[in-house]
Amino acid sequence: MTLTEMREILKARDLQLTKSLGQNFLHDANQLRRIVAAAELSATDKVLEIGPGLGPLTELLLASGATVLAIEKDSRLTTFLREHFAKQSNLTLLHDDALDFLQRRAGDVQSPMDVPIPEDGDGKSPAAARWKLVANLPYSVASPILVELALHPHGPERMVVTLQLEVAQRIVAASDTDSYGLLTLLIGLHYRPGALFKIPASCFFPAPDVESACLTLTRRDPPPLDDRQTKLFVRLVKRAFSQRRKMMLKLLKTEWPEEKLHACFAKLAISPQERAEKVSLEVFTELCRLMAE
Ligand code: SAM
C-alpha cells in the first residue's frame, strides 16, 4: 500500500486520524518487507497483529500464507479492513482493545490466540503454542502489551514489533545503565532481544514526533523459570525497582524474611548495599530460583 493509496482511502472515507490511538501508518515498502522478513514466516504460522490500521503490514503477513488474527480498536478502520480483505480466508479481524483482550485471557491455559496447544510426550503438560506477534504497535500501550505477552505461559515464540526507539532501548538495555529497569527484566526473562533497526519518521504517515525502531524478541527455550517462579520473579523485581536509588535488600525485606534474603545474597555474592539497577537479569533469575526453594 503506497502513501498515495493511503491518502486516497482516508480522503474517500473522510477519516481523520486519531493521535491518541497512535495512528501513524507505515507506508515504506522496504521497511515493511524488513519487518516481515524478521518474522521468518511460513504458511503454517499463526500470527497476531495488533493495530492493523489500514492494513499495509496485514497485506504482507497474509501473502506469506500464515493465518492472521488482527485486533484493531478503531471501528472505522475495522469497517474498512473487512471490506478491503473480504476475500482473505486466512484473516480473522477483531474490533477490540488489544490490551483488554490480552488481559481478559491472561489466565487462559491456551495462548491468547486460542491456538490449540499440543500435549507433551507424557500427555500431561501442554507444550508452548507455536505462534508469533508481528505488529507496528500503538506506542502508548506498547509496553503493557509486550509485558502481558512476555509473561503469558503460552506467549508467542517470536515477537517482531515496531516501537518507540526509547522503549526498544529500554528492552535491550544492559544492567547499570539508565535505560535498564523493570521493562528490561519483565520482557527479558522469557525473551532474548535480537536485531533492532531504526525506521525513519518519514516512513510513516503522518510522521511521528518520536524515533521508531523494529525489534525482534525470541522466546527462550527452555524457559529459565517455571510459572510459579515467574510469578515470584515479577513480585521480586517490582519490589526491587520500586525505589530505584534505594538498596535492594532494604526494599525486599518488607516482603520476604531478612534471614533468607541474606543467605541468598551471600550465595550469589550480591552486596547487601547493592541497588537493583546494578543486578543483571541472570543474577535476578538465580536469586528467584533460590528464593523459591
Ligand atoms: N499497522 C498499521 C501500519 O503499520 O500502518 C498501523 C500502525 S499504527 C502505529 C497503530 C494502530 O493501532 C492504529 O491503527 C490504531 O488505531 C491501533 N490501536 C491503537 N490502540 C489500540 C489498542 N489498544 N488495541 C488495538 N489497536 C489499537
Side-chain angles (χ1 to χ4, degrees), residues 3-31:
L3 176 57
T4 312
E5 285 167 336
M6 275 187 183
R7 284 186 199 273
E8 278 169 7
I9 296 164
L10 295 172
K11 194 171 169 208
R13 298 187 168 241
D14 195 21
L15 281 174
Q16 308 296 323
L17 296 181
T18 310
K19 208 173 175 188
S20 61
L21 287 177
Q23 292 180 339
N24 303 93
F25 298 142
L26 185 55
H27 57 78
D28 185 286
N30 286 331
Q31 302 292 346

Side-chain angles (χ1 to χ4, degrees), residues 6 21-26 32 49-57 71-74 77 96-99 136-139 141 145:
M6 275 187 183
L21 287 177
Q23 292 180 339
N24 303 93
F25 298 142
L26 185 55
L32 286 160
E49 185 189 3
I50 290 176
L54 291 174
L57 183 59
I71 308 178
E72 171 58 60
K73 187 171 176 172
D74 188 333
L77 298 176
D96 206 341
D97 180 304
L99 186 56
N136 294 338
L137 290 170
Y139 291 177
V141 282
I145 283 177

